[in-house]
Amino acid sequence: MISPAIPENELDRLESLHQLNILDSLPEEAYDTITELASYICDTPIAVINIIDSERNWFKSAFGTDLAGSSRDVSFCGHTILEPTVLLEVPNASKDARFKDNPFVTSETPINYYAGVSLLDYKGLPMGTLCVYDSNEHQLNEKQKTALKALGKQVEILLETRRKNNVLENLKRELDDNNKILREFASTVSHDLKMPLANMILTADILKVKYSGSMDEEGLNYINYLKQSGLTLSDYINGLLDHYANNKADIGKVEEFFLNDMLEDIIDLLQIAENCEINLPDNNLKIVGNTAAIGQIFMNLLSNSLKYNNQERIIIEIDCTENRDFFNFTISDNGIGIPEGKQSGIFDLFTTVAEKDRRGKKGHGIGLSTVKNIVESLGGSINLTSKEHEGTCFEFSIKRYNKLD
């Protein structure tokens, strides 16, 4: 018997193999179907998908045998991967110098026939083999060889799909971990900054009241600038806290309310100017849902429609329809609109529509990202249509609850 040699690219091969994370994995129907087909097409009692590790052959799928693998130094497949582009066929192993003393050949239930094709990764490195065995001398015809190679290609596709899925899962896990760290960091920093900021704003007010008589106009402007900067940073921090607090809204807290009643309360909070016309839906729908979450969505969208509007008369239209599964809402305005190039990323965190809003303030790009998180946590989706200088329409849906929990 001649034990198979170690390929020159063994280290690279093993690194690629371990990235598959397939060794000792559970059986899968997709692989088992292929070994059954290989046995049938090649007219052999045994077919195996074999993964070759550093010291062992492990059977990902085996048809016609209860074996789970073997030692690599007595394997047929170890020889196959030495010429990974060639189908290795051994018509009678007892007459082949490489295998005649092999324990599988000399056993009470001997293997005398073997044919195998290498299973290559995207770099051409062999991960293992698809092979067939028989206790009797055997030989494949050309059609059977072609079919065995074709089935091997199907196994390669399964393996590479697994590899890509592993990469995606690892990226998702890393992203989730990074997001968790960012949420904790943002929450900690934001909370730690809120009190010093509140003190700074309060101190600015005290300075203005107590020393305004002894300050010139430039000094008072500095005080006002200090306070305004503090308020801007406070809004930014509150926005971050809202964004991460609502990353997964508590959709379990549902209650019954009328849409227009909620909208009127929001309009009162926003202190709408006389030059603004907000038209509510004609049908005051009864909604069963999370009032706080839905209210925050409308608060953010209405606030944006007011801030990013340069018309002398601001007009905002709100509508709502319902079907069996969802409530569907629209909010449209006659504001500045969103340039086409910014629309695809408008819901990304820290993405802003314009340099400054109606009052000359720069936005932080947190509100719409928060809105998207809340909408999706409520089982819905959100999108927009907009034309620059003509206005924007946001459409969003939320999953419908037919009764209170």
Side-chain angles (χ1 to χ4, degrees):
M1 185 191 82
I2 301 174
S3 294
I6 301 300
E8 292 182 1
N9 55 13
E10 179 73 355
L11 291 178
D12 292 336
R13 191 189 72 79
L14 290 175
E15 181 181 359
S16 180
L17 172 61
H18 294 154
Q19 288 171 0
L20 284 173
N21 194 28
I22 195 171
L23 290 166
D24 301 313
S25 60
L26 294 173
E28 296 178 61
E29 184 179 359
Y31 295 92
D32 293 342
T33 299
I34 291 175
T35 51
E36 185 175 357
L37 275 173
S39 172
Y40 175 77
I41 291 170
C42 296
D43 193 23
T44 57
I46 299 173
V48 170
I49 292 173
N50 180 45
I51 304 298
I52 302 177
D53 199 2
S54 58
E55 296 182 354
R56 62 167 174 155
N57 289 357
W58 175 74
F59 295 169
K60 172 59 182 173
S61 175
F63 181 83
T65 178
D66 293 329
L67 291 176
S70 69
S71 174
R72 181 174 172 178
D73 60 357
V74 297
S75 72
F76 287 69
C77 297
H79 291 275
T80 304
I81 66 170
L82 296 177
E83 294 185 79
T85 60
V86 178
L87 184 153
L88 174 63
E89 186 174 31
V90 183
N92 190 331
S94 65
K95 298 178 181 179
D96 191 304
R98 292 170 295 180
F99 308 109
K100 63 181 181 179
D101 296 327
N102 188 292
F104 288 106
V105 178
T106 59
S107 69
E108 293 182 2
T109 55
I111 290 175
N112 282 311
Y113 174 77
Y114 168 90
V117 292
S118 294
L119 304 173
L120 308 182
D121 71 355
Y122 66 103
K123 295 180 180 178
L125 299 171
M127 302 292 96
T129 64
L130 170 63
C131 52
V132 293
Y133 300 93
D134 197 341
S135 59
N136 300 313
E137 186 171 338
H138 195 87
Q139 194 156 9
L140 300 182
N141 60 40
E142 290 304 315
K143 288 184 178 180
Q144 289 173 320
K145 290 179 181 179
T146 299
L148 187 62
K149 292 176 182 177
L151 289 174
K153 292 297 180 185
Q154 293 304 307
V155 179
E156 290 177 356
I157 291 171
L158 290 174
L159 293 177
E160 288 312 304
T161 299
R162 181 186 184 92
R163 184 190 304 278
K164 291 175 182 177
N165 287 339
N166 288 342
V167 171
L168 290 175
E169 287 177 7
N170 289 335
L171 287 174
K172 182 179 182 301
R173 194 177 301 114
E174 290 177 10
L175 185 60
D176 289 342
D177 290 343
N178 288 337
N179 283 339
K180 181 180 179 181
I181 293 170
L182 283 173
R183 284 195 298 271
E184 292 173 352
F185 175 78
S187 179
T188 300
V189 171
S190 298
H191 280 297
D192 289 348
L193 286 176
K194 287 191 76 172
M195 185 56 69
L197 270 176
N199 290 336
M200 186 177 77
I201 294 167
L202 181 61
T203 301
D205 283 334
I206 293 172
L207 287 172
K208 187 173 181 181
V209 171
K210 192 170 182 179
Y211 298 106
S212 59
S214 58
M215 282 187 178
D216 58 15
E217 184 177 353
E218 185 178 7
L220 290 174
N221 287 337
Y222 281 132
I223 295 292
N224 289 333
Y225 178 76
L226 178 66
K227 179 180 179 180
Q228 191 57 51
S229 297
L231 290 171
T232 299
L233 186 54
S234 181
D235 288 342
Y236 183 78
I237 289 171
N238 287 333
L240 277 176
L241 289 173
D242 287 341
H243 174 81
Y244 288 114
N246 289 288
N247 205 31
K248 286 193 178 294
D250 184 359
I251 60 175
K253 296 180 180 179
V254 297
E255 55 187 329
E256 187 177 271
F257 64 94
F258 286 95
L259 176 63
N260 286 12
D261 295 345
M262 182 193 71
L263 290 173
E264 287 171 357
D265 290 340
I266 292 173
I267 290 170
D268 289 341
L269 288 173
L270 291 173
Q271 299 180 340
I272 305 300
E274 292 183 0
N275 69 330
C276 179
E277 174 186 334
I278 299 182
N279 297 314
L280 302 183
D282 293 332
N283 50 337
N284 188 12
L285 285 180
K286 181 189 290 185
I287 295 176
V288 177
N290 186 325
T291 315
I294 297 171
Q296 187 170 353
I297 294 169
F298 275 104
M299 178 74 81
N300 273 285
L301 294 180
L302 285 172
S303 179
N304 275 357
S305 291
L306 293 169
K307 288 191 297 184
Y308 297 104
N309 197 311
N310 57 5
Q311 301 296 323
E312 289 187 10
R313 184 163 187 80
I314 299 172
I315 300 175
I316 300 173
E317 302 279 351
I318 304 174
D319 198 11
C320 177
T321 61
E322 59 181 329
N323 55 40
R324 187 181 66 179
D325 299 314
F326 293 95
F327 288 106
N328 303 294
F329 305 93
T330 61
I331 299 179
S332 57
D333 61 54
N334 63 338
I336 64 173
I338 301 172
E340 187 174 349
K342 288 190 174 183
Q343 291 180 17
S344 61
I346 197 62
F347 295 107
D348 295 340
L349 189 60
F350 304 127
T351 298
T352 55
V353 176
E355 287 298 320
K356 293 182 179 180
D357 64 18
R358 187 181 182 88
R359 296 178 180 177
K361 296 181 179 180
K362 181 174 175 58
H364 304 301
I366 300 173
L368 287 179
S369 176
T370 301
V371 164
K372 185 174 185 290
N373 283 337
I374 298 173
V375 168
E376 290 180 348
S377 72
L378 295 176
S381 60
I382 185 168
N383 57 72
L384 68 91
T385 55
S386 184
K387 193 168 184 180
E388 197 170 5
H389 308 306
E390 293 187 15
T392 300
C393 178
F394 285 95
E395 298 176 293
F396 70 93
S397 62
I398 61 170
K399 184 180 178 182
R400 179 171 182 160
Y401 289 85
N402 294 318
K403 60 181 179 179
L404 292 170
D405 291 339

